[in-house]
Amino acid sequence: MERLDKIISHAFSLSRKQAKQAIQSGAVKIDGIVVKASDAKAEPSQVTLDEKIADYKEHIYIMMNKPQGVISASEGGTQKTVVDLVPQALRRKGLFPAGRLDKDTVGFVLITDDGAFAHDILSPKKHVEKTYFVQTDKPIPAELPDRFRQGVVLYDGSVCMSAVLETDSACTCTVKIKEGKYHQIKRMFRVNGLSVVYLKRTAIGGLALDASLKEGECREIGAQELALIRDEQG
Ligand code: URA
């Protein structure tokens, strides 16, 4: 059970003040009966505004195919952010990207208003794998998968967790990492003498980026898909 004004403001993207005004105007019903008290408690499925059912969800989870040139932040000053690209229908207060991709990296960014969920999937302790398609400037040496598995030591001396590298062609591969150090993939290659010329995140946990999403597009993630994020077998 939630407060009526909270349900209305979430479900219909209204400010709390606008929600209270709608309730006081008599446009809101619980089980078909007009209720004018903003602090009345109800289940979202019982509530309507102008006969429209409040399809209330406590949190929203959005899959975006991030394009190049956009920053992974909620506010970017003069720079365009991934949150700026979220269409009005999916907009809510408090949206932020759960994990950052570099400005020139493309692919799967998860945007949500659920801080606890974001913390969970980003914590290295939770072992949620992030999968990247990588293109390098030079052929990938045969011993690189072993080095990645053993844990790459970066130039600053920090040690990366064991990572999986599967070669696709001479200069392309798939890499899976379970942590998110700053510029991690680029630095893991750099210390091995290669530059990353193209980087795309293709999956988070067991949930792959929807191939039908063009760069800059996004869609809501359903409950079953959300569960796949924590399910490495997915
Ligand atoms: N590693 C990088 O170097 N950059 C990214 O954007 C993501 C992972």
Side-chain angles (χ1 to χ4, degrees), residues 153-184:
V153 182
L154 301 176
Y155 278 128
D156 67 358
S158 56
V159 183
C160 298
M161 290 168 78
S162 177
V164 176
L165 187 161
E166 283 166 7
T167 311
D168 298 328
S169 73
C171 295
T172 61
C173 63
T174 302
V175 176
K176 292 175 190 271
I177 57 174
K178 292 183 174 172
E179 54 191 338
K181 297 184 196 299
Y182 184 63
H183 294 330
Q184 181 162 341

Side-chain angles (χ1 to χ4, degrees), residues 102-113:
D102 298 336
K103 193 170 172 181
D104 61 351
T105 301
V106 300
F108 191 170
V109 174
L110 195 150
I111 299 168
T112 184
D113 58 351

Side-chain angles (χ1 to χ4, degrees), residues 100-102 105 132 177 181 183-187 199:
R100 285 167 186 262
L101 293 182
D102 298 336
T105 301
Y132 294 86
I177 57 174
K181 297 184 196 299
H183 294 330
Q184 181 162 341
I185 300 268
K186 291 173 185 164
R187 290 160 76 206
L199 186 58

Side-chain angles (χ1 to χ4, degrees), residues 4-5 22 31 47 50 56 66 70 76 86 93 111 115 139 183-184 187 197 204:
L4 200 50
D5 52 357
D31 287 334
V47 176
D50 292 334
Y56 173 79
K66 176 192 170 302
V70 172
V86 175
K93 273 181 271 162
I111 299 168
H183 294 330
Q184 181 162 341
R187 290 160 76 206
V197 296
I204 301 179

Side-chain angles (χ1 to χ4, degrees), residues 21-29 34-36:
Q21 282 166 352
I23 293 164
Q24 271 148 26
S25 77
V28 173
K29 294 178 183 168
V34 171
V35 175
K36 293 194 173 182

